[in-house]
């Protein structure tokens, strides 16, 4: 089987880190590059974290480029309550072994898209992807799919209405969902039905360095979930987006219209999904509506456990 070439645009982030490890452990994917965007923490921190995660698995050949250091229009916010001051609190990781590439993330994506079609997997705010579409509209036809972790049909996790990645930069999300590209939306509706338990995470501790790092990541990440949701099972949002590209049987998707709320009111950042087709707006996204949680967690833990 030919590998699917992907670029992962991320803001590590505990679940971003697990998403990167899952991708790098998976023979179905070729990770062409990793790009970063300000989100869970500042751009310098998430870029260092991306390289630190690649260092754990020895992915020295995968280029890392830093992108937008703030949303398009509004000010940056971070998620230190979820991911800590470093953005990756928990494991004792050494400093990054290298600097990011001397090229902007958007330029790196454009360079690779000129060579061949690619799948983009943005698992942070959509700032870089919106900039790519704005700067290089001719390259949109070379984007196979934009598999977004973000949004929700139902409830939000940063406000009652909005999911964090979309809420950070709703204007960017609007640009992406309104583009000509294929967009797949993997939102909280499915990520919250596919939790990694403390027991499954802890069982990775004896399975090599990557497994031990994931066990430490989960031990920190679950504190927030215990406090807010009352259980120490955690969604692994970003890894579910990667898993969908590896194994399309994990998620059920439906073609629906998604409209972005970019107003300043209480619904700012909401992904308004026309699930009951109450408008005549055409479908603009494949929206994940169901998940085989066991299939996902088995894939995630087996693949991470297989890393050295
Ligand atoms: C998303 O927000 C971030 O905190 C996570 O990394 C994930 O991408 C979930 O809402
Ligand atoms: Ca993320």
């Amino acid at each position: 089987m030919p590998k699917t070439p992907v670029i992962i645009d991320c803001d590590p982030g505990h679940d971003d880190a697990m998403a990167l490890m899952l991708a790098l452990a998976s023979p179905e994917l070729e990770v062409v590059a990793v790009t970063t965007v300000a989100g869970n923490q500042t751009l310098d921190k998430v870029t260092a974290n991306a390289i630190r995660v690649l260092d754990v698995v020895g992915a020295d050949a995968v280029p890392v480029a830093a992108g937008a250091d703030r949303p398009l229009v509004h000010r940056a916010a971070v998620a230190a309550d979820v991911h800590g001051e470093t953005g990756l609190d928990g494991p004792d990781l050494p400093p990054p072994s290298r600097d990011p590439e001397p090229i902007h993330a958007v330029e790196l994506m454009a360079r690779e898209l000129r060579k061949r079609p690619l799948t983009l997997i943005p698992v942070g705010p959509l700032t870089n992807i919106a900039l790519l579409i704005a700067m290089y509209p001719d390259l949109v036809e070379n984007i196979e799919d934009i598999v977004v972790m973000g949004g929700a049909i139902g409830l939000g996790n940063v406000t009652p209405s909005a999911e964090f990645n979309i809420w950070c930069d709703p204007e960017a999300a609007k640009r992406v969902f309104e583009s000509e590209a294929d967009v797949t939306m993997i939102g909280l509706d499915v990520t919250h039905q596919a939790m990694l338990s403390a027991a499954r995470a802890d069982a990775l501790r004896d399975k090599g360095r990557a497994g031990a790092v994931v066990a430490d990541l989960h031990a920190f990440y679950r504190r927030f979930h215990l406090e807010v949701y009352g259980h120490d099972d955690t969604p692994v949002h970003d890894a579910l987006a990667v898993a969908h590209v590896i194994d399309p049987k994990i998620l059920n998707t439906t073609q629906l219209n998604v409209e972005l709320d970019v107003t300043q009111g209480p619904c700012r950042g909401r992904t308004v999904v026309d699930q009951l087709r109450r408008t005549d707006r055409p479908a603009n996204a494949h929206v994940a509506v169901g998940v085989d949680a066991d299939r996902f967690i088995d894939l995630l833990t087996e693949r991470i456990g297989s890393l050295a």
Side-chain angles (χ1 to χ4, degrees):
M1 275 285 283
K3 289 174 184 270
T4 303
V6 301
I7 291 182
I8 301 175
D9 186 61
C10 58
D11 59 338
H14 292 67
D15 54 327
D16 304 74
M18 295 185 218
L20 289 172
M21 289 184 191
L22 172 61
L24 292 162
S26 293
E28 296 87 350
L29 305 186
E30 177 196 355
V31 181
V32 172
V34 171
T35 53
T36 59
V37 62
N40 285 325
Q41 261 300 348
T42 57
L43 184 67
D44 55 342
K45 289 183 185 178
V46 299
T47 304
N49 289 344
I51 297 170
R52 292 160 88 206
V53 172
L54 267 53
D55 288 345
V56 169
V57 302
D60 301 341
V62 176
V64 177
D69 65 358
R70 52 162 287 184
L72 293 181
V73 179
H74 292 276
R75 275 177 305 161
V78 296
D81 53 338
V82 187
H83 300 279
E85 275 312 308
T86 66
L88 212 50
D89 280 13
D92 188 14
L93 295 176
S97 63
R98 53 183 160 129
D99 289 331
E101 302 293 304
I103 180 174
H104 193 280
V106 173
E107 300 295 350
L108 187 143
M109 285 192 258
R111 183 185 79 194
E112 296 303 321
L113 278 166
R114 272 187 211 106
K115 296 181 193 165
R116 59 191 155 156
L118 292 173
T119 296
L120 306 180
I121 312 180
V123 295
L126 287 164
T127 322
N128 288 339
I129 311 299
L131 289 169
L132 173 74
I133 290 167
M135 290 172 68
Y136 299 104
D138 52 314
L139 291 176
V140 168
E141 66 182 21
N142 258 9
I143 301 174
E144 286 286 353
D145 196 358
I146 304 177
V147 181
V148 174
M149 189 285 124
I153 301 170
L155 303 179
N157 63 355
V158 62
T159 74
S161 310
E163 180 279 330
F164 179 78
N165 288 339
I166 304 294
W167 175 84
C168 280
D169 199 342
E171 286 79 12
K174 184 173 168 66
R175 185 75 189 237
V176 171
F177 278 81
E178 290 181 0
S179 76
E180 293 298 312
D182 269 357
V183 174
T184 300
M185 178 180 124
I186 295 168
L188 299 177
D189 321 283
V190 284
T191 66
H192 274 264
Q193 286 175 42
M195 304 262 190
L196 178 61
S197 68
R200 293 293 293 268
D202 289 345
L204 287 168
R205 189 170 295 287
D206 300 329
K207 303 255 171 152
R209 171 89 177 117
V213 168
V214 168
D216 285 343
L217 284 169
H218 196 270
F220 181 88
Y221 190 49
R222 67 188 174 231
R223 288 190 230 172
F224 169 84
H225 294 83
L226 191 55
E227 195 183 313
V228 174
Y229 301 110
H231 54 73
D232 60 7
D233 297 349
T234 74
V236 202
H237 311 280
D238 298 347
L240 188 55
V242 168
H244 173 62
V245 183
I246 297 169
D247 176 4
K249 290 197 175 136
I250 288 174
L251 288 168
N252 290 332
T253 64
T254 309
Q255 281 187 276
L256 294 169
N257 180 270
V258 181
E259 196 177 9
L260 274 293
D261 190 323
V262 296
T263 64
Q264 291 298 330
C267 292
R268 177 168 174 77
R270 184 167 182 78
T271 44
V272 180
V273 179
D274 189 6
Q275 198 173 13
L276 297 179
R277 298 190 170 86
R278 304 308 301 148
T279 73
D280 53 9
R281 289 194 291 270
N284 60 350
H286 303 269
V287 178
V289 293
V291 58
D292 184 337
D294 290 342
R295 193 172 172 116
F296 166 58
I297 295 298
D298 287 349
L299 177 83
L300 179 72
T301 53
E302 278 162 22
R303 294 287 168 90
I304 288 177
S306 75
L307 287 162

